[in-house]
Amino acid sequence: MATVYRWRLAPDGLATRRQLRALGLRPGGQDVVAELHRPRRRRGQLVAYLYRIDHARPVRPMTPGRAAALAAAMRARRTCPNCRLDVGYCIPRSLGMCVPCHDTPTPATALSR
């Protein structure tokens, strides 16, 4: 079981994934060393996993293939399935289409009103 620290009481030399990333590092396969618990009043406590900074490895560089795959994935998230346009923002999953397509009534729904 990992050591548990309360919020803001973790020793130096430990960092979360996000903190490692800000330093240009990644956990690099190491196991979780400790947990950081932050209590909250109305919901369950927040848990952050901590890793040793001295065992972390540098972030792998972005390759051209990875960059192309990431660009294609983001383009797919911005393309509306109805109008087939790149709308410039990620389409909300709750709508399933861009906002103008969602707000414009289709002929079938206009007739049923």
Side-chain angles (χ1 to χ4, degrees):
M1 182 168 160
T3 308
V4 177
Y5 295 103
R6 291 190 49 84
W7 185 247
R8 298 187 186 267
L9 295 178
D12 293 336
L14 299 179
T16 63
R17 282 182 178 268
R18 194 172 280 192
Q19 290 169 336
L20 287 175
R21 188 61 175 212
L23 296 172
L25 301 171
R26 61 186 169 97
Q30 64 175 306
D31 291 331
V32 174
V33 176
E35 292 180 2
L36 189 67
H37 289 199
R38 179 181 180 203
R40 297 190 294 181
R41 291 177 190 248
R42 299 185 192 275
R43 293 184 279 172
Q45 64 186 358
L46 293 174
V47 177
Y49 301 108
L50 301 174
Y51 302 91
R52 289 183 54 172
I53 295 175
D54 57 344
H55 288 180
R57 295 183 181 157
V59 175
R60 294 183 188 121
M62 183 66 76
T63 62
R66 276 186 170 171
L70 181 61
M74 292 307 294
R75 189 170 42 257
R77 289 184 66 191
R78 292 189 314 260
T79 303
C80 176
N82 283 358
C83 61
R84 303 280 187 215
L85 295 176
D86 184 343
V87 291
Y89 57 87
C90 288
I91 294 174
R93 292 177 63 192
S94 60
L95 300 180
M97 60 186 76
C98 66
V99 176
C101 287
H102 182 264
D103 291 343
T104 305
T106 60
T109 58
L111 294 175
S112 63
R113 288 184 180 179

